[in-house]
Short mmCIF file of all heavy atoms in Angstrom, two decimals:
data_model
loop_
_atom_site.label_atom_id
_atom_site.label_comp_id
_atom_site.label_asym_id
_atom_site.label_seq_id
_atom_site.Cartn_x
_atom_site.Cartn_y
_atom_site.Cartn_z
N GLU A 22 10.61 25.92 13.09
CA GLU A 22 9.86 26.06 14.32
C GLU A 22 9.32 24.69 14.69
O GLU A 22 8.81 23.97 13.86
CB GLU A 22 8.73 27.05 14.11
CG GLU A 22 7.89 27.26 15.31
CD GLU A 22 6.78 28.27 15.06
OE1 GLU A 22 6.80 28.98 14.05
OE2 GLU A 22 5.92 28.32 15.91
N ALA A 23 9.42 24.33 15.99
CA ALA A 23 8.96 23.02 16.43
C ALA A 23 8.38 23.08 17.82
O ALA A 23 8.73 23.94 18.63
CB ALA A 23 10.12 22.03 16.38
N LEU A 24 7.48 22.15 18.11
CA LEU A 24 6.90 21.99 19.44
C LEU A 24 7.45 20.71 20.03
O LEU A 24 7.47 19.67 19.37
CB LEU A 24 5.38 21.89 19.36
CG LEU A 24 4.67 23.09 18.74
CD1 LEU A 24 3.19 22.77 18.56
CD2 LEU A 24 4.85 24.32 19.59
N SER A 25 7.90 20.77 21.28
CA SER A 25 8.49 19.61 21.92
C SER A 25 7.46 18.86 22.75
O SER A 25 6.43 19.41 23.15
CB SER A 25 9.64 20.02 22.83
OG SER A 25 10.68 20.57 22.06
N ASP A 26 7.76 17.61 23.01
CA ASP A 26 6.96 16.78 23.90
C ASP A 26 6.90 17.47 25.25
O ASP A 26 7.91 17.91 25.77
CB ASP A 26 7.65 15.42 24.01
CG ASP A 26 6.93 14.44 24.89
OD1 ASP A 26 6.27 14.86 25.86
OD2 ASP A 26 7.03 13.25 24.61
N PRO A 27 5.71 17.58 25.86
CA PRO A 27 5.61 18.28 27.15
C PRO A 27 6.39 17.59 28.27
O PRO A 27 6.66 18.19 29.29
CB PRO A 27 4.10 18.28 27.45
CG PRO A 27 3.52 17.24 26.57
CD PRO A 27 4.42 17.12 25.38
N ASN A 28 6.78 16.35 28.05
CA ASN A 28 7.58 15.63 29.05
C ASN A 28 9.08 15.85 28.84
O ASN A 28 9.89 15.15 29.41
CB ASN A 28 7.26 14.14 29.00
CG ASN A 28 5.82 13.87 29.37
OD1 ASN A 28 5.30 14.45 30.32
ND2 ASN A 28 5.16 13.02 28.62
N GLY A 29 9.42 16.82 28.01
CA GLY A 29 10.82 17.17 27.81
C GLY A 29 11.51 16.43 26.68
O GLY A 29 12.71 16.46 26.55
N GLY A 30 10.74 15.76 25.84
CA GLY A 30 11.31 14.98 24.74
C GLY A 30 11.62 15.82 23.52
O GLY A 30 11.62 17.05 23.56
N ALA A 31 11.84 15.13 22.42
CA ALA A 31 12.18 15.76 21.15
C ALA A 31 10.96 16.41 20.51
O ALA A 31 9.83 16.23 20.96
CB ALA A 31 12.76 14.72 20.21
N ALA A 32 11.20 17.17 19.45
CA ALA A 32 10.13 17.85 18.73
C ALA A 32 9.16 16.85 18.14
O ALA A 32 9.56 15.90 17.47
CB ALA A 32 10.72 18.71 17.63
N VAL A 33 7.85 17.04 18.41
CA VAL A 33 6.82 16.16 17.89
C VAL A 33 5.91 16.86 16.88
O VAL A 33 5.09 16.22 16.23
CB VAL A 33 5.95 15.56 19.03
CG1 VAL A 33 6.79 14.65 19.90
CG2 VAL A 33 5.29 16.65 19.85
N ALA A 34 6.05 18.18 16.72
CA ALA A 34 5.26 18.93 15.75
C ALA A 34 6.01 20.19 15.38
O ALA A 34 6.85 20.68 16.15
CB ALA A 34 3.89 19.30 16.34
N GLY A 35 5.72 20.71 14.18
CA GLY A 35 6.38 21.94 13.77
C GLY A 35 6.05 22.32 12.35
O GLY A 35 5.10 21.81 11.76
N THR A 36 6.86 23.21 11.80
CA THR A 36 6.71 23.65 10.42
C THR A 36 8.05 23.48 9.72
O THR A 36 9.11 23.46 10.35
CB THR A 36 6.28 25.13 10.34
OG1 THR A 36 7.25 25.94 10.98
CG2 THR A 36 4.92 25.35 10.97
N ALA A 37 7.98 23.36 8.41
CA ALA A 37 9.19 23.23 7.59
C ALA A 37 8.90 23.85 6.23
O ALA A 37 7.74 23.99 5.84
CB ALA A 37 9.59 21.77 7.44
N LEU A 38 9.93 24.21 5.51
CA LEU A 38 9.79 24.85 4.20
C LEU A 38 10.23 23.90 3.10
O LEU A 38 11.37 23.41 3.11
CB LEU A 38 10.62 26.13 4.16
CG LEU A 38 10.54 26.94 2.87
CD1 LEU A 38 9.13 27.47 2.64
CD2 LEU A 38 11.54 28.10 2.92
N LEU A 39 9.33 23.63 2.17
CA LEU A 39 9.67 22.79 1.02
C LEU A 39 10.61 23.53 0.09
O LEU A 39 10.43 24.72 -0.17
CB LEU A 39 8.41 22.40 0.24
CG LEU A 39 7.41 21.49 0.94
CD1 LEU A 39 6.13 21.42 0.11
CD2 LEU A 39 7.99 20.12 1.15
N THR A 40 11.60 22.85 -0.41
CA THR A 40 12.50 23.37 -1.44
C THR A 40 12.52 22.33 -2.56
O THR A 40 12.89 21.18 -2.30
CB THR A 40 13.92 23.57 -0.89
OG1 THR A 40 13.86 24.47 0.22
CG2 THR A 40 14.84 24.15 -1.95
N GLY A 41 12.10 22.73 -3.74
CA GLY A 41 12.03 21.77 -4.84
C GLY A 41 11.07 20.63 -4.53
O GLY A 41 11.28 19.50 -4.95
N GLY A 42 10.03 20.92 -3.75
CA GLY A 42 9.01 19.93 -3.46
C GLY A 42 9.34 18.94 -2.37
O GLY A 42 8.60 17.98 -2.18
N THR A 43 10.41 19.17 -1.60
CA THR A 43 10.76 18.22 -0.55
C THR A 43 11.48 18.91 0.60
O THR A 43 12.05 19.98 0.43
CB THR A 43 11.64 17.07 -1.11
OG1 THR A 43 11.76 16.05 -0.12
CG2 THR A 43 12.99 17.55 -1.55
N VAL A 44 11.43 18.28 1.77
CA VAL A 44 12.17 18.77 2.92
C VAL A 44 12.43 17.58 3.85
O VAL A 44 11.60 16.68 3.96
CB VAL A 44 11.42 19.90 3.67
CG1 VAL A 44 10.11 19.42 4.27
CG2 VAL A 44 12.30 20.51 4.74
N THR A 45 13.59 17.58 4.48
CA THR A 45 13.91 16.59 5.50
C THR A 45 13.76 17.26 6.85
O THR A 45 14.34 18.32 7.10
CB THR A 45 15.35 16.06 5.33
OG1 THR A 45 15.45 15.42 4.05
CG2 THR A 45 15.71 15.07 6.43
N VAL A 46 12.97 16.64 7.73
CA VAL A 46 12.73 17.16 9.08
C VAL A 46 13.53 16.30 10.06
O VAL A 46 13.35 15.08 10.10
CB VAL A 46 11.23 17.12 9.43
CG1 VAL A 46 11.01 17.57 10.87
CG2 VAL A 46 10.44 17.97 8.46
N SER A 47 14.40 16.93 10.82
CA SER A 47 15.20 16.22 11.82
C SER A 47 14.52 16.24 13.17
O SER A 47 14.21 17.32 13.69
CB SER A 47 16.59 16.85 11.95
OG SER A 47 17.30 16.74 10.73
N THR A 48 14.24 15.06 13.72
CA THR A 48 13.71 14.93 15.07
C THR A 48 13.94 13.51 15.56
O THR A 48 13.68 12.55 14.82
CB THR A 48 12.21 15.29 15.17
OG1 THR A 48 11.79 15.08 16.52
CG2 THR A 48 11.34 14.49 14.23
N SER A 49 14.42 13.39 16.77
CA SER A 49 14.64 12.06 17.33
C SER A 49 13.33 11.43 17.80
O SER A 49 13.31 10.27 18.22
CB SER A 49 15.66 12.13 18.47
OG SER A 49 15.19 12.97 19.51
N ALA A 50 12.21 12.16 17.72
CA ALA A 50 10.91 11.64 18.15
C ALA A 50 10.32 10.63 17.18
O ALA A 50 9.45 9.86 17.54
CB ALA A 50 9.93 12.79 18.35
N VAL A 51 10.80 10.61 15.93
CA VAL A 51 10.20 9.73 14.93
C VAL A 51 10.74 8.30 15.09
O VAL A 51 11.92 8.10 15.35
CB VAL A 51 10.44 10.28 13.50
CG1 VAL A 51 11.89 10.17 13.07
CG2 VAL A 51 9.52 9.64 12.50
N THR A 52 9.82 7.32 14.96
CA THR A 52 10.19 5.91 15.04
C THR A 52 9.71 5.20 13.79
O THR A 52 8.98 5.78 12.97
CB THR A 52 9.55 5.23 16.27
OG1 THR A 52 8.14 5.10 16.03
CG2 THR A 52 9.80 6.01 17.55
N ALA A 53 10.07 3.94 13.65
CA ALA A 53 9.62 3.16 12.49
C ALA A 53 8.11 3.00 12.48
O ALA A 53 7.51 2.80 11.42
CB ALA A 53 10.31 1.80 12.50
N ASP A 54 7.46 3.10 13.64
CA ASP A 54 6.01 2.95 13.74
C ASP A 54 5.26 4.28 13.71
O ASP A 54 4.02 4.30 13.76
CB ASP A 54 5.64 2.23 15.03
CG ASP A 54 6.16 0.80 15.05
OD1 ASP A 54 6.19 0.16 13.98
OD2 ASP A 54 6.53 0.33 16.14
N SER A 55 5.96 5.40 13.62
CA SER A 55 5.33 6.72 13.67
C SER A 55 4.36 6.93 12.52
O SER A 55 4.57 6.44 11.40
CB SER A 55 6.38 7.83 13.60
OG SER A 55 7.19 7.84 14.72
N LYS A 56 3.32 7.69 12.81
CA LYS A 56 2.41 8.21 11.80
C LYS A 56 2.67 9.71 11.76
O LYS A 56 2.61 10.38 12.79
CB LYS A 56 0.94 7.95 12.16
CG LYS A 56 0.62 6.50 12.40
CD LYS A 56 0.93 5.64 11.21
CE LYS A 56 0.60 4.19 11.50
NZ LYS A 56 1.35 3.27 10.67
N VAL A 57 3.02 10.23 10.59
CA VAL A 57 3.34 11.65 10.46
C VAL A 57 2.23 12.34 9.66
O VAL A 57 2.00 11.99 8.51
CB VAL A 57 4.71 11.87 9.78
CG1 VAL A 57 5.04 13.35 9.71
CG2 VAL A 57 5.81 11.10 10.51
N LEU A 58 1.53 13.25 10.31
CA LEU A 58 0.49 14.02 9.64
C LEU A 58 1.11 15.28 9.05
O LEU A 58 1.91 15.94 9.72
CB LEU A 58 -0.60 14.40 10.64
CG LEU A 58 -1.26 13.25 11.40
CD1 LEU A 58 -2.31 13.80 12.36
CD2 LEU A 58 -1.88 12.25 10.46
N VAL A 59 0.75 15.60 7.82
CA VAL A 59 1.29 16.79 7.15
C VAL A 59 0.17 17.59 6.50
O VAL A 59 -0.84 17.02 6.08
CB VAL A 59 2.37 16.42 6.09
CG1 VAL A 59 3.58 15.80 6.75
CG2 VAL A 59 1.81 15.49 5.04
N SER A 60 0.36 18.90 6.44
CA SER A 60 -0.59 19.78 5.75
C SER A 60 0.16 20.99 5.23
O SER A 60 1.23 21.34 5.73
CB SER A 60 -1.72 20.22 6.69
OG SER A 60 -1.22 21.05 7.72
N HIS A 61 -0.43 21.63 4.23
CA HIS A 61 0.16 22.87 3.71
C HIS A 61 -0.07 24.00 4.69
O HIS A 61 -1.11 24.08 5.34
CB HIS A 61 -0.45 23.24 2.36
CG HIS A 61 0.15 22.51 1.21
ND1 HIS A 61 1.37 22.84 0.68
CD2 HIS A 61 -0.30 21.45 0.50
CE1 HIS A 61 1.65 22.02 -0.31
NE2 HIS A 61 0.66 21.17 -0.45
N GLY A 62 0.92 24.89 4.78
CA GLY A 62 0.81 26.05 5.65
C GLY A 62 0.17 27.24 4.98
O GLY A 62 -0.24 28.19 5.64
N GLY A 63 0.11 27.23 3.64
CA GLY A 63 -0.57 28.29 2.92
C GLY A 63 0.22 29.56 2.72
O GLY A 63 -0.35 30.62 2.51
N VAL A 64 1.54 29.48 2.74
CA VAL A 64 2.37 30.67 2.55
C VAL A 64 2.65 30.90 1.06
O VAL A 64 2.44 31.99 0.54
CB VAL A 64 3.69 30.56 3.35
CG1 VAL A 64 4.59 31.74 3.08
CG2 VAL A 64 3.39 30.44 4.83
N ASN A 65 3.14 29.89 0.38
CA ASN A 65 3.47 29.97 -1.05
C ASN A 65 2.55 29.02 -1.80
O ASN A 65 2.91 27.87 -2.06
CB ASN A 65 4.94 29.60 -1.29
CG ASN A 65 5.89 30.48 -0.53
OD1 ASN A 65 5.76 31.69 -0.55
ND2 ASN A 65 6.84 29.88 0.16
N VAL A 66 1.37 29.47 -2.17
CA VAL A 66 0.33 28.58 -2.67
C VAL A 66 0.28 28.45 -4.19
O VAL A 66 -0.61 27.79 -4.72
CB VAL A 66 -1.06 29.00 -2.14
CG1 VAL A 66 -1.10 28.88 -0.63
CG2 VAL A 66 -1.41 30.41 -2.58
N GLY A 67 1.23 28.99 -4.91
CA GLY A 67 1.19 28.97 -6.36
C GLY A 67 1.40 27.61 -7.00
O GLY A 67 0.90 27.36 -8.09
N ASN A 68 2.12 26.71 -6.35
CA ASN A 68 2.46 25.41 -6.95
C ASN A 68 2.20 24.26 -5.99
O ASN A 68 3.03 23.35 -5.86
CB ASN A 68 3.94 25.39 -7.37
CG ASN A 68 4.22 26.32 -8.51
OD1 ASN A 68 3.58 26.24 -9.55
ND2 ASN A 68 5.16 27.23 -8.32
N LEU A 69 1.06 24.26 -5.32
CA LEU A 69 0.78 23.22 -4.34
C LEU A 69 0.64 21.85 -5.00
O LEU A 69 0.13 21.73 -6.11
CB LEU A 69 -0.51 23.52 -3.58
CG LEU A 69 -0.55 24.80 -2.76
CD1 LEU A 69 -1.88 24.92 -2.05
CD2 LEU A 69 0.60 24.85 -1.77
N GLY A 70 1.11 20.83 -4.29
CA GLY A 70 0.92 19.44 -4.70
C GLY A 70 0.37 18.66 -3.52
O GLY A 70 0.15 19.21 -2.44
N HIS A 71 0.17 17.38 -3.72
CA HIS A 71 -0.28 16.51 -2.64
C HIS A 71 0.93 16.15 -1.79
O HIS A 71 1.98 15.79 -2.31
CB HIS A 71 -0.93 15.25 -3.19
CG HIS A 71 -2.16 15.53 -3.98
ND1 HIS A 71 -3.36 15.86 -3.39
CD2 HIS A 71 -2.37 15.56 -5.32
CE1 HIS A 71 -4.26 16.06 -4.32
NE2 HIS A 71 -3.69 15.90 -5.50
N LEU A 72 0.79 16.25 -0.47
CA LEU A 72 1.90 15.97 0.45
C LEU A 72 1.86 14.55 0.96
O LEU A 72 0.78 13.99 1.20
CB LEU A 72 1.83 16.92 1.65
CG LEU A 72 1.94 18.41 1.35
CD1 LEU A 72 1.71 19.21 2.63
CD2 LEU A 72 3.29 18.74 0.74
N TYR A 73 3.03 13.97 1.15
CA TYR A 73 3.14 12.66 1.77
C TYR A 73 4.49 12.54 2.46
O TYR A 73 5.43 13.26 2.12
CB TYR A 73 2.94 11.53 0.74
CG TYR A 73 3.90 11.56 -0.42
CD1 TYR A 73 5.06 10.79 -0.41
CD2 TYR A 73 3.66 12.34 -1.55
CE1 TYR A 73 5.94 10.80 -1.49
CE2 TYR A 73 4.52 12.36 -2.63
CZ TYR A 73 5.66 11.58 -2.60
OH TYR A 73 6.53 11.59 -3.66
N THR A 74 4.55 11.65 3.46
CA THR A 74 5.84 11.38 4.10
C THR A 74 6.49 10.25 3.32
O THR A 74 5.85 9.29 2.92
CB THR A 74 5.67 10.99 5.58
OG1 THR A 74 4.76 9.91 5.68
CG2 THR A 74 5.17 12.17 6.38
N ASP A 75 7.77 10.41 3.13
CA ASP A 75 8.51 9.48 2.29
C ASP A 75 9.37 8.60 3.19
O ASP A 75 8.87 7.72 3.85
CB ASP A 75 9.34 10.29 1.29
CG ASP A 75 9.73 9.49 0.06
OD1 ASP A 75 9.47 8.30 0.02
OD2 ASP A 75 10.30 10.09 -0.86
N THR A 76 10.62 8.87 3.27
CA THR A 76 11.56 8.07 4.04
C THR A 76 11.53 8.46 5.52
O THR A 76 11.59 9.64 5.86
CB THR A 76 12.99 8.29 3.50
OG1 THR A 76 12.99 7.97 2.12
CG2 THR A 76 13.99 7.44 4.23
N ILE A 77 11.43 7.46 6.40
CA ILE A 77 11.57 7.68 7.84
C ILE A 77 12.85 6.97 8.29
O ILE A 77 13.04 5.79 8.02
CB ILE A 77 10.37 7.14 8.63
CG1 ILE A 77 9.12 7.96 8.33
CG2 ILE A 77 10.67 7.14 10.12
CD1 ILE A 77 7.86 7.46 9.04
N VAL A 78 13.72 7.71 8.96
CA VAL A 78 14.92 7.15 9.58
C VAL A 78 14.68 7.22 11.09
O VAL A 78 14.74 8.31 11.67
CB VAL A 78 16.20 7.92 9.17
CG1 VAL A 78 17.42 7.30 9.84
CG2 VAL A 78 16.35 7.95 7.66
N ALA A 79 14.35 6.09 11.69
CA ALA A 79 13.96 6.04 13.10
C ALA A 79 14.99 6.73 13.99
O ALA A 79 16.20 6.50 13.86
CB ALA A 79 13.77 4.60 13.54
N GLY A 80 14.49 7.61 14.86
CA GLY A 80 15.35 8.33 15.80
C GLY A 80 16.12 9.47 15.20
O GLY A 80 16.90 10.14 15.89
N THR A 81 15.92 9.76 13.91
CA THR A 81 16.73 10.77 13.24
C THR A 81 15.91 11.80 12.46
O THR A 81 16.01 13.00 12.71
CB THR A 81 17.73 10.11 12.27
OG1 THR A 81 18.53 9.18 13.02
CG2 THR A 81 18.63 11.13 11.61
N SER A 82 15.11 11.34 11.45
CA SER A 82 14.46 12.28 10.55
C SER A 82 13.39 11.60 9.71
O SER A 82 13.28 10.37 9.70
CB SER A 82 15.49 12.92 9.61
OG SER A 82 16.04 11.93 8.75
N PHE A 83 12.64 12.42 8.98
CA PHE A 83 11.70 11.93 7.98
C PHE A 83 11.63 12.95 6.86
O PHE A 83 11.95 14.13 7.05
CB PHE A 83 10.31 11.66 8.57
CG PHE A 83 9.63 12.86 9.16
CD1 PHE A 83 8.80 13.65 8.39
CD2 PHE A 83 9.83 13.20 10.49
CE1 PHE A 83 8.17 14.77 8.94
CE2 PHE A 83 9.20 14.31 11.04
CZ PHE A 83 8.37 15.09 10.26
N ASP A 84 11.23 12.51 5.68
CA ASP A 84 11.09 13.38 4.51
C ASP A 84 9.62 13.67 4.26
O ASP A 84 8.77 12.78 4.38
CB ASP A 84 11.67 12.74 3.26
CG ASP A 84 13.17 12.57 3.33
OD1 ASP A 84 13.82 13.27 4.13
OD2 ASP A 84 13.70 11.73 2.58
N ILE A 85 9.33 14.92 3.91
CA ILE A 85 8.01 15.30 3.42
C ILE A 85 8.19 15.66 1.95
O ILE A 85 9.08 16.44 1.61
CB ILE A 85 7.43 16.52 4.18
CG1 ILE A 85 7.31 16.21 5.67
CG2 ILE A 85 6.08 16.92 3.58
CD1 ILE A 85 6.95 17.42 6.51
N THR A 86 7.36 15.08 1.09
CA THR A 86 7.48 15.30 -0.34
C THR A 86 6.14 15.76 -0.90
O THR A 86 5.09 15.30 -0.47
CB THR A 86 7.93 14.00 -1.05
OG1 THR A 86 9.16 13.58 -0.47
CG2 THR A 86 8.12 14.21 -2.54
N SER A 87 6.20 16.66 -1.87
CA SER A 87 5.01 17.12 -2.59
C SER A 87 4.99 16.45 -3.96
O SER A 87 6.04 16.18 -4.55
CB SER A 87 5.06 18.64 -2.78
OG SER A 87 4.02 19.07 -3.63
N SER A 88 3.79 16.18 -4.46
CA SER A 88 3.66 15.61 -5.80
C SER A 88 4.07 16.63 -6.87
O SER A 88 4.26 16.26 -8.03
CB SER A 88 2.23 15.13 -6.04
OG SER A 88 1.32 16.20 -5.94
N ASN A 89 4.24 17.90 -6.48
CA ASN A 89 4.67 18.95 -7.41
C ASN A 89 6.09 19.36 -7.03
O ASN A 89 6.31 19.96 -5.96
CB ASN A 89 3.72 20.15 -7.33
CG ASN A 89 4.06 21.23 -8.33
OD1 ASN A 89 5.16 21.26 -8.88
ND2 ASN A 89 3.12 22.11 -8.58
N GLY A 90 7.05 19.06 -7.87
CA GLY A 90 8.45 19.38 -7.61
C GLY A 90 8.73 20.87 -7.50
O GLY A 90 9.80 21.26 -7.03
N ALA A 91 7.78 21.72 -7.92
CA ALA A 91 7.95 23.17 -7.81
C ALA A 91 7.31 23.73 -6.55
O ALA A 91 7.31 24.94 -6.34
CB ALA A 91 7.36 23.85 -9.05
N ASP A 92 6.78 22.87 -5.68
CA ASP A 92 6.10 23.30 -4.45
C ASP A 92 7.13 23.87 -3.48
O ASP A 92 8.11 23.23 -3.14
CB ASP A 92 5.39 22.10 -3.82
CG ASP A 92 4.37 22.46 -2.76
OD1 ASP A 92 4.46 23.57 -2.19
OD2 ASP A 92 3.49 21.62 -2.50
N THR A 93 6.92 25.12 -3.04
CA THR A 93 7.82 25.78 -2.09
C THR A 93 7.05 26.30 -0.88
O THR A 93 7.47 27.25 -0.23
CB THR A 93 8.57 26.95 -2.76
OG1 THR A 93 7.62 27.89 -3.28
CG2 THR A 93 9.48 26.46 -3.87
N ASP A 94 5.92 25.67 -0.59
CA ASP A 94 5.08 26.11 0.52
C ASP A 94 5.68 25.69 1.86
O ASP A 94 6.52 24.80 1.95
CB ASP A 94 3.68 25.51 0.38
CG ASP A 94 2.64 26.21 1.26
OD1 ASP A 94 2.90 27.34 1.71
OD2 ASP A 94 1.56 25.62 1.48
N THR A 95 5.22 26.34 2.91
CA THR A 95 5.51 25.91 4.27
C THR A 95 4.57 24.75 4.57
O THR A 95 3.41 24.76 4.17
CB THR A 95 5.26 27.06 5.26
OG1 THR A 95 6.15 28.13 4.94
CG2 THR A 95 5.48 26.63 6.69
N VAL A 96 5.08 23.74 5.27
CA VAL A 96 4.25 22.60 5.66
C VAL A 96 4.24 22.46 7.17
O VAL A 96 5.21 22.80 7.86
CB VAL A 96 4.73 21.29 5.00
CG1 VAL A 96 4.50 21.32 3.51
CG2 VAL A 96 6.19 21.01 5.30
N ASN A 97 3.11 21.98 7.69
CA ASN A 97 2.96 21.68 9.11
C ASN A 97 3.14 20.18 9.27
O ASN A 97 2.66 19.41 8.42
CB ASN A 97 1.56 22.08 9.59
CG ASN A 97 1.26 23.52 9.29
OD1 ASN A 97 1.99 24.41 9.68
ND2 ASN A 97 0.18 23.76 8.58
N TRP A 98 3.76 19.74 10.34
CA TRP A 98 3.93 18.30 10.57
C TRP A 98 3.70 17.97 12.04
O TRP A 98 3.89 18.80 12.91
CB TRP A 98 5.32 17.82 10.12
CG TRP A 98 6.47 18.53 10.77
CD1 TRP A 98 7.12 19.66 10.30
CD2 TRP A 98 7.12 18.17 12.00
NE1 TRP A 98 8.12 20.01 11.19
CE2 TRP A 98 8.15 19.12 12.23
CE3 TRP A 98 6.95 17.16 12.93
CZ2 TRP A 98 8.99 19.08 13.35
CZ3 TRP A 98 7.79 17.11 14.04
CH2 TRP A 98 8.79 18.07 14.22
N TRP A 99 3.26 16.71 12.27
CA TRP A 99 2.96 16.24 13.62
C TRP A 99 3.25 14.75 13.66
O TRP A 99 2.67 13.98 12.89
CB TRP A 99 1.51 16.52 13.95
CG TRP A 99 1.06 16.20 15.34
CD1 TRP A 99 1.82 15.93 16.43
CD2 TRP A 99 -0.29 16.10 15.79
NE1 TRP A 99 1.05 15.69 17.53
CE2 TRP A 99 -0.27 15.79 17.15
CE3 TRP A 99 -1.52 16.25 15.16
CZ2 TRP A 99 -1.41 15.61 17.90
CZ3 TRP A 99 -2.66 16.09 15.92
CH2 TRP A 99 -2.60 15.78 17.26
N VAL A 100 4.13 14.34 14.54
CA VAL A 100 4.50 12.93 14.69
C VAL A 100 3.63 12.31 15.79
O VAL A 100 3.61 12.78 16.91
CB VAL A 100 6.00 12.77 15.07
CG1 VAL A 100 6.35 11.31 15.29
CG2 VAL A 100 6.89 13.39 14.00
N LEU A 101 2.93 11.24 15.42
CA LEU A 101 2.08 10.51 16.36
C LEU A 101 2.60 9.08 16.50
O LEU A 101 3.09 8.50 15.54
CB LEU A 101 0.64 10.46 15.86
CG LEU A 101 -0.03 11.81 15.62
CD1 LEU A 101 -1.40 11.60 14.99
CD2 LEU A 101 -0.16 12.57 16.93
N GLU A 102 2.47 8.53 17.69
CA GLU A 102 2.88 7.16 17.94
C GLU A 102 1.66 6.31 18.26
O GLU A 102 0.86 6.66 19.12
CB GLU A 102 3.85 7.09 19.12
CG GLU A 102 5.22 7.62 18.81
CD GLU A 102 5.89 6.94 17.63
OE1 GLU A 102 5.80 5.69 17.52
OE2 GLU A 102 6.50 7.64 16.81
N PRO A 103 1.49 5.18 17.55
CA PRO A 103 0.37 4.29 17.85
C PRO A 103 0.57 3.64 19.22
O PRO A 103 1.69 3.44 19.67
CB PRO A 103 0.42 3.25 16.73
CG PRO A 103 1.80 3.33 16.18
CD PRO A 103 2.32 4.70 16.46
N ARG A 104 -0.54 3.31 19.87
CA ARG A 104 -0.47 2.64 21.17
C ARG A 104 -0.81 1.19 21.03
O ARG A 104 -1.45 0.75 20.20
CB ARG A 104 -1.44 3.28 22.16
CG ARG A 104 -0.95 4.64 22.55
CD ARG A 104 -1.82 5.17 23.64
NE ARG A 104 -1.21 6.42 24.12
CZ ARG A 104 -1.45 6.91 25.28
NH1 ARG A 104 -2.24 6.31 26.12
NH2 ARG A 104 -0.88 8.04 25.65
#
């Protein structure tokens, strides 16, 4: 599930499901300068870890990783661009 830029652009926010503590989110909205905010969605809370964004491929995707490789929670994400 994703929310698009109100000006008709790519997805700038949404949810994703961790598998083995990681997920790749595809969106052309992400740039090398993007700040990606992440939080747990609270669906599968048995093995929560600390979330961080890992690899960003500008114009393509970014990775969200949990410090717990067994984390299978839903995560919320939001791509912000500095001005």
